[in-house]
Amino acid sequence: MKNLKRGGLACFFVVVSICFSIYPPGFPPFQGSFQAYAQEAGFFGEVFHVPEAFDPDYEEMERKFKIFVYPHDTSSCSNPRTLDGEYGNEGLFYLNLNLSRFLTKDPEKAHLFLIPISCHSLPAGRSEDQRAIAVEDFVKSLISKYPYWNRTLGADHFFVTCADINVTATARIANLMKNSIKVMCTPSYNDEYVPHKDVSLPQRVPPLALTPAGNNITNRITLAFWRGLNNSDIRQKLLEAWENDLELFIQKGRKPSLEQGDLVHHEAFNNSKYCICPGGPELDRTIALAIHYGCVPVIMSDYYDLPFKDILDWRKFSIILEESQVYYLREHLKEMLEHEYRAMQTNTVMVRKHFQWNLVPAKYDAFHMTLYDLWLRNHFTKYY
């Protein structure tokens, strides 16, 4: 009975997420007035799709979930990701996993199997083909040595991948891209990322020069902010439409820094009601900073999979617009009533802890939420 209930709950979460991904951005786009949009989203409710189910299911995950990491040559990946680098979230995932209770040395007790393929593509000086061959050889050696892959053709396996392990490296192994779960930084649909099977890994935000604002919105005098490179179609259109606007702080310039010292960007995030997050490279960086500062994200990307979207209702702490609506951006934002904005901004502050990476894993943080995402997919795979 418990198994049946468990499988049904996992199925329900996946069905909910599929319902929210009929439209290109991953959620129902804005249509009509923001008053109707706010009422539909239920801003004053919990930020979870199914709040009454989350707590008991999360607790069960913490008690039971076990992951087996395949043995590998640690000499080739003694530091798979520097924790303060561009892809520090990948390094923090491995660090947190090693410090957690989720690891098991007994593969028969494992719910999921982690393939540490990062270690086999990192050595400097290798060409793309050489790295792809190294990854292929490593994974094939595991498949031939251990019986666990063939039990599900890799459906209960996952791997973590950021920029330097591309489709070329993983497409060489039959069923790896098709069946295994890909935990990916900055996932977009054109990177062989499969929504509802794969997992979006949230960006890391390190300790910053300014303390992030909370629910006090008195300093938020700028309607909306974005500054970055015009390295995508939507960003070019955003600059063309709003660069000289008096109410929107939209500027072409260097990308937002995640490090200390970039006070111009940090003050702008802290002093704006909304932070524009247009599609393109490192979209997750902008979203992470917006949430960190309690600046309501306005996401404009037709092909991006939001972190934890199967769990969190992004409509309650962000605005999601189709890219084609860029020319009506100011109108959309000014239609939001003050009490609706306050509720959404409060929710943005509430979800901050779920996107925070820690050197030592903490309950409900980004590491645990990523594992919970994997937990849901594990049970869906088991029963269906």
Side-chain angles (χ1 to χ4, degrees):
M1 181 61 69
K2 288 185 178 180
N3 286 346
L4 181 60
K5 181 180 179 181
R6 191 67 198 81
L9 183 57
C11 180
F12 179 77
F13 271 107
V14 175
V15 169
V16 166
S17 68
I18 292 173
C19 292
F20 279 115
S21 65
I22 295 174
Y23 295 89
F27 294 89
F30 170 84
Q31 293 178 349
S33 71
F34 261 122
Q35 288 87 338
Y37 180 81
Q39 184 176 4
E40 178 190 354
F43 285 140
F44 298 98
E46 296 289 340
V47 295
F48 298 95
H49 286 304
V50 190
E52 65 275 11
F54 173 75
D55 282 337
D57 199 43
Y58 178 93
E59 294 297 332
E60 184 181 6
M61 181 272 293
E62 285 214 328
R63 291 195 310 270
K64 297 182 178 179
F65 196 22
K66 295 298 179 184
I67 295 171
F68 177 79
V69 180
Y70 280 107
H72 55 283
D73 180 10
T74 57
S75 64
S76 63
C77 60
S78 58
N79 188 15
R81 280 285 182 265
T82 56
L83 301 183
D84 59 351
E86 187 173 6
Y87 300 107
N89 49 349
E90 183 180 343
L92 283 165
F93 179 86
Y94 281 108
L95 174 67
N96 282 189
L97 184 61
N98 289 332
L99 294 174
S100 74
R101 298 173 296 172
F102 297 101
L103 281 180
T104 178
K105 294 183 178 180
D106 184 354
E108 295 299 335
K109 295 181 179 179
H111 297 89
L112 288 180
F113 295 79
L114 172 58
I115 305 174
I117 63 176
S118 298
C119 307
H120 296 268
S121 73
L122 284 173
R126 286 186 173 185
S127 68
E128 182 177 300
D129 285 341
Q130 288 174 323
R131 290 185 299 177
I133 292 171
V135 170
E136 178 185 16
D137 291 344
F138 172 61
V139 177
K140 286 185 175 179
S141 70
L142 298 180
I143 294 173
S144 63
K145 184 176 180 179
Y146 299 91
Y148 311 109
W149 175 277
N150 290 324
R151 296 189 305 192
T152 63
L153 294 180
D156 56 358
H157 287 56
F158 75 99
F159 60 99
V160 183
T161 172
C162 285
D164 57 7
I165 300 180
N166 54 27
V167 176
T168 303
T170 53
R172 291 171 176 262
I173 298 98
N175 295 315
L176 182 61
M177 291 294 293
K178 177 182 177 182
N179 294 342
S180 299
I181 302 169
K182 187 177 184 181
V183 181
M184 186 177 178
C185 307
T186 317
S188 58
Y189 298 165
N190 60 352
D191 287 328
E192 301 296 329
Y193 180 91
V194 182
H196 319 301
K197 175 182 77 70
D198 298 331
V199 171
S200 176
L201 193 67
Q203 178 62 278
R204 155 195 172 270
V205 176
L208 300 173
L210 297 180
T211 302
N215 291 89
N216 183 2
I217 61 175
T218 56
N219 65 313
R220 298 190 182 276
I221 57 177
T222 302
L223 178 61
F225 161 71
W226 178 78
R227 185 182 182 187
L229 303 176
N230 60 341
N231 50 358
S232 71
D233 182 63
I234 180 58
R235 293 175 184 179
Q236 292 176 10
K237 292 178 180 178
L238 181 66
L239 286 166
E240 291 170 2
W242 302 109
E243 188 172 13
N244 298 316
D245 190 80
L246 297 179
E247 294 184 86
L248 305 181
F249 181 16
I250 307 296
Q251 288 188 347
K252 179 181 178 181
R254 56 191 174 87
K255 63 188 179 183
S257 171
L258 292 178
E259 308 306 329
Q260 294 186 14
D262 191 0
L263 297 181
V264 174
H265 275 109
H266 298 331
E267 288 178 350
F269 277 106
N270 231 6
N271 297 336
S272 301
K273 295 178 68 175
Y274 301 97
C275 288
I276 312 302
C277 305
E282 299 174 341
L283 169 59
D284 57 343
R285 177 194 298 265
T286 308
I287 294 175
L289 282 170
I291 293 175
H292 176 80
Y293 280 115
C295 181
V296 176
V298 180
I299 301 165
M300 307 185 72
S301 179
D302 291 349
Y303 304 101
Y304 177 74
D305 204 54
L306 294 163
F308 314 139
K309 74 171 187 180
D310 297 342
I311 307 164
L312 300 174
D313 188 348
W314 278 77
R315 297 178 304 167
K316 295 178 180 177
F317 59 93
S318 70
I319 296 172
I320 301 172
L321 301 176
E322 293 180 356
E323 293 182 7
S324 61
Q325 295 173 304
V326 63
Y327 301 108
Y328 307 98
L329 176 61
R330 184 178 60 192
E331 177 184 349
H332 291 336
L333 298 182
K334 297 194 74 172
E335 284 184 357
M336 179 73 75
L337 299 179
E338 183 64 20
H339 75 278
E340 294 167 348
Y341 165 74
R342 285 180 176 272
M344 183 174 283
Q345 195 272 338
T346 297
N347 287 342
T348 303
V349 175
M350 282 178 56
V351 301
R352 182 189 294 151
K353 64 181 179 181
H354 301 309
F355 293 86
Q356 180 178 335
W357 289 96
N358 299 296
L359 291 177
V360 177
K363 195 178 184 72
Y364 301 123
D365 67 0
F367 169 71
H368 282 87
M369 293 294 285
T370 300
L371 287 192
Y372 183 64
D373 238 345
L374 290 167
W375 170 253
L376 294 177
R377 282 154 175 74
N378 159 65
H379 282 280
F380 184 77
T381 301
K382 293 290 186 184
Y383 288 97
Y384 299 93

